[in-house]
Amino acid sequence: MTTLNLIELTCPVCENVFRSQTVVATNAFGGKRTDFHERAAGMQPLPYFVHLCTHCGYAGIERDFADGVGVPPELRASVLDQLQSALQHELPSGSLKYDHAARVAEWQGSEPRYLADLYLRAAWCCVDEHDTEAERYFRRRAAWRFAEALESFDGVPIEERAVLTYLIGELWRRIGDRRRAREWFDKVPTEITEPAAQAWVMEVAQQQRRSPREWFA
Ligand SMILES: [Zn+2]
């Protein structure tokens, strides 16, 4: 069950004061897909970890609305120019909230790993929104940013490289690009640093390469 609470936020771009729902508690997960998408029983909490100002389109997690968050003039201009015009509905979808948060984070020069997580969450929201085209778009963006994080010297802790390499393969598989998926699954063994603890990553990578399944057992 997911429990939400209302919080009051002040938009650092347009100073609009608005209320947004946030996740207080969530439990009784209904399982996990093989791209680590956790399913809650009942209402999905994912859209409520991120907040969006429906006046200008600025979005982010709660700390992006904290007192004293500085918004440089270029960022303000980009939000007003590109995000405000993208608002079409009174109630923004989860994927739109994550999309805007990711674009703000891009303009702020955030780390690829952080951007990848936002895009991945946008893709997961699209699953619930039954928007497969947008889902593939966000999965691609997540895959590119995770790959970029792996390329940078300290973008990913060494013990997490194998699981992220697997995840990139799984993202490409879910996009429908089997060639790229295989390339990434095949790289997993070279990223293993603790064979015993990471045996499950090896296993799931081999399995998704040969006969994929949608859920972890
Ligand atoms: Zn605003």
Side-chain angles (χ1 to χ4, degrees):
M1 193 186 134
T2 302
T3 312
L4 300 177
N5 198 8
L6 277 172
I7 50 170
E8 193 164 89
L9 299 171
T10 303
C11 175
V13 170
C14 72
E15 282 159 21
N16 175 34
V17 178
F18 65 102
R19 301 219 286 172
S20 185
Q21 288 180 301
T22 191
V23 180
V24 179
T26 183
N27 53 26
F29 279 107
K32 200 187 270 188
R33 292 185 204 262
T34 46
D35 63 350
F36 305 114
H37 182 188
E38 276 184 303
R39 309 295 297 154
M43 185 177 59
Q44 300 306 311
L46 205 52
Y48 307 103
F49 289 111
V50 70
H51 310 285
L52 181 140
C53 168
T54 52
H55 186 250
C56 72
Y58 175 85
I61 58 174
E62 198 171 337
R63 69 150 195 251
D64 295 310
F65 292 87
D67 285 344
V69 163
V71 176
E74 318 83 69
L75 176 59
R76 184 185 307 269
S78 298
V79 169
L80 296 176
D81 182 47
Q82 295 181 49
L83 299 186
Q84 195 168 36
S85 56
L87 292 174
Q88 289 163 350
H89 304 289
E90 280 288 297
L91 285 173
S93 63
S95 62
L96 184 105
K97 289 161 76 178
Y98 279 107
D99 180 31
H100 283 208
R103 287 160 70 180
V104 168
E106 298 252 12
W107 291 326
Q108 287 170 327
S110 299
E111 295 293 321
R113 174 78 187 268
Y114 182 68
L115 297 169
D117 279 323
L118 291 174
Y119 288 124
L120 181 58
R121 284 163 171 259
W124 288 343
C125 287
C126 289
V127 174
D128 289 325
E129 294 161 15
H130 307 289
D131 187 344
T132 50
E133 197 180 321
E135 179 194 332
R136 277 197 292 270
Y137 167 83
F138 289 123
R139 286 193 189 283
R140 251 195 306 275
R141 298 204 81 90
W144 288 333
R145 289 301 190 180
F146 279 128
E148 200 184 328
L150 284 173
E151 274 165 29
S152 66
F153 174 69
D154 53 1
V156 178
I158 193 158
E159 65 277 11
E160 289 174 27
R161 294 185 61 90
V163 73
L164 276 197
T165 302
Y166 156 74
L167 176 58
I168 296 170
E170 179 63 3
L171 287 170
W172 285 116
R173 187 188 75 75
R174 285 175 181 265
I175 289 161
D177 190 329
R178 296 179 61 186
R179 186 186 58 80
R180 278 205 175 99
R182 276 199 302 271
E183 279 174 19
W184 284 95
F185 289 143
D186 288 345
K187 281 191 220 179
V188 170
T190 65
E191 299 286 2
I192 296 288
T193 52
E194 295 165 71
Q198 294 175 318
W200 71 273
V201 186
M202 290 279 283
E203 234 167 76
V204 74
Q206 279 169 16
Q207 178 206 274
Q208 293 305 79
R209 192 187 190 287
R210 286 200 208 106
S211 49
R213 61 182 190 206
E214 296 302 305
W215 296 85
F216 285 112

